[in-house]
Amino acid sequence: MKLLNANYGIEFELNENEVNVLVVENPAVLSSIISELYKQSNGQDGNFVLSDKEKLFKFGKEIALVLEPFSINCNERRIVTKLYQELKTQIDEYMIEETVQLYSKIVDYLDKVTQKVPYLTTFQLDFDITGLFKLLDVELESSDYSLCENIIAYMKALAQLCGYQIMIFLNLKMFLSIEEIMSLYEFAFYNKIDLILIESTMHTTLQTEKTCIIDKDMCVIYY
C-alpha cells in the first residue's frame, strides 16, 4: 500500500515492520500538509492518495490522524460506538436467553413500580440493550497511564474496534523518549499497524524508520 502526495513529492511505501517519518522544516508546508490531512480524514477532498496497486481507498476510513497526543481519549464516540456494536454482537450470538430473562425482569420491575403511584403510566416495551450500556456508562477502562501507555491503548482501540490499520501522528518524538518510541513501534509491528510520524524537526533516526525530509527550501530528500 502507498500514501502519495504529488504536490510535495511525498511517496510512502507502507511496509511491514517499518515506520515512515516525514520531517517538514518549512512551517508553511507543514501547516498545509496537516490541514490537508485533517480535511481528508474528515471526508473532504484533497491531494493525498492512499492506494494498493490499482485500488484506491477512502482516506478517512483507513487512516486515523492524531494531532495532539495529550487529548486522546480511548472512550471517544467512534470507539464507544464500535464497542457497543461488538458487545451487542456477542449478546446476539451467545446470550439471547440471558437477555430475554433480563428484559422480563425489567418489565416486571417497572410494572411493580408504576402500580405504586396513583397515575396512569406507560413505558417503552421495545428493549434496546445498547440503551443499558449507555445508562451504566459502559466504556473502556482508563487508568493513570503514562503518555506512551495512553497512546498505545488508544492505538489498540482504534485498530481492534474501529479497524484502523494506518495511523499518523504529529510531532510525537517531541514528547516521547527513544525507549518509549521503540515500545510504541513494537506494539504497532506486532499488531500490523502502519505508522507515519510527521515531525517539524529532525530527531534521532531509528533502525526501523524510513525518513523523508522536506527542507526549508522545499527540497525533498529520502534516506
Side-chain angles (χ1 to χ4, degrees):
M1 190 172 286
K2 292 183 179 182
L3 181 65
L4 311 171
N5 187 317
N7 286 359
Y8 292 110
I10 298 171
E11 181 175 341
F12 286 145
E13 289 273 1
L14 305 181
N15 297 320
E16 190 172 340
N17 296 338
E18 184 177 81
V19 175
N20 284 284
V21 179
L22 175 63
V23 180
V24 186
E25 297 178 345
N26 186 309
V29 174
L30 178 61
S31 177
S32 176
I33 287 173
I34 295 302
S35 176
E36 201 158 328
L37 287 170
Y38 180 78
K39 289 177 182 177
Q40 288 190 242
S41 67
N42 285 284
Q44 300 180 42
D45 293 333
N47 293 313
F48 279 94
V49 176
L50 181 66
S51 65
D52 187 7
K53 297 178 181 179
E54 301 300 321
K55 184 177 181 181
L56 299 179
F57 293 87
K58 290 187 177 180
F59 193 96
K61 291 186 176 181
E62 302 292 335
I63 297 178
L65 177 65
V66 183
L67 299 180
E68 206 281 280
F70 292 97
S71 63
I72 59 177
N73 177 12
C74 289
N75 288 297
E76 65 187 28
R77 174 179 287 184
R78 61 180 170 181
I79 292 175
V80 170
T81 297
K82 291 294 185 179
L83 173 63
Y84 288 1
Q85 290 173 0
E86 184 168 323
L87 292 173
K88 178 69 163 52
T89 298
Q90 296 300 316
I91 288 171
D92 290 344
E93 291 184 4
Y94 304 110
M95 299 183 64
I96 293 177
E97 184 177 345
E98 291 92 334
T99 305
V100 171
Q101 291 173 357
L102 175 62
Y103 173 74
S104 177
K105 290 180 180 179
I106 291 174
V107 171
D108 182 57
Y109 176 83
L110 289 176
D111 275 335
K112 290 179 180 178
V113 170
T114 55
Q115 287 172 14
K116 293 184 179 296
V117 296
Y119 318 111
L120 293 175
T121 59
T122 184
F123 52 84
Q124 180 59 255
L125 292 177
D126 292 334
F127 182 64
D128 179 8
I129 193 66
T130 58
L132 183 62
F133 300 155
K134 295 176 183 178
L135 177 66
L136 298 177
D137 262 345
V138 176
E139 59 183 23
L140 297 177
E141 183 179 9
S142 59
S143 301
D144 293 327
Y145 294 140
S146 68
L147 177 60
C148 182
E149 290 169 336
N150 201 35
I151 292 169
I152 289 174
Y154 187 62
M155 290 170 60
K156 181 177 181 180
L158 287 177
Q160 296 184 1
L161 286 170
C162 301
Y164 291 108
Q165 291 302 313
I166 304 171
M167 301 181 191
I168 301 176
F169 289 87
L170 175 63
N171 281 330
L172 202 57
K173 289 192 174 188
M174 289 180 62
F175 308 111
L176 299 180
S177 67
I178 292 177
E179 290 75 17
E180 289 174 323
I181 288 288
M182 292 179 68
S183 294
L184 191 147
Y185 287 0
E186 183 179 352
F187 173 82
F189 296 158
Y190 182 80
N191 290 275
K192 310 291 186 186
I193 298 170
D194 290 308
L195 286 180
I196 299 173
L197 304 189
I198 300 178
E199 303 288 333
S200 55
T201 57
M202 191 68 184
H203 297 270
T204 301
T205 300
L206 303 179
Q207 188 174 1
T208 55
E209 295 175 346
K210 181 179 179 181
T211 303
C212 171
I213 300 175
I214 301 178
D215 67 16
K216 293 182 179 180
D217 297 321
M218 296 181 60
C219 295
V220 180
I221 307 163
Y222 283 91
Y223 71 92

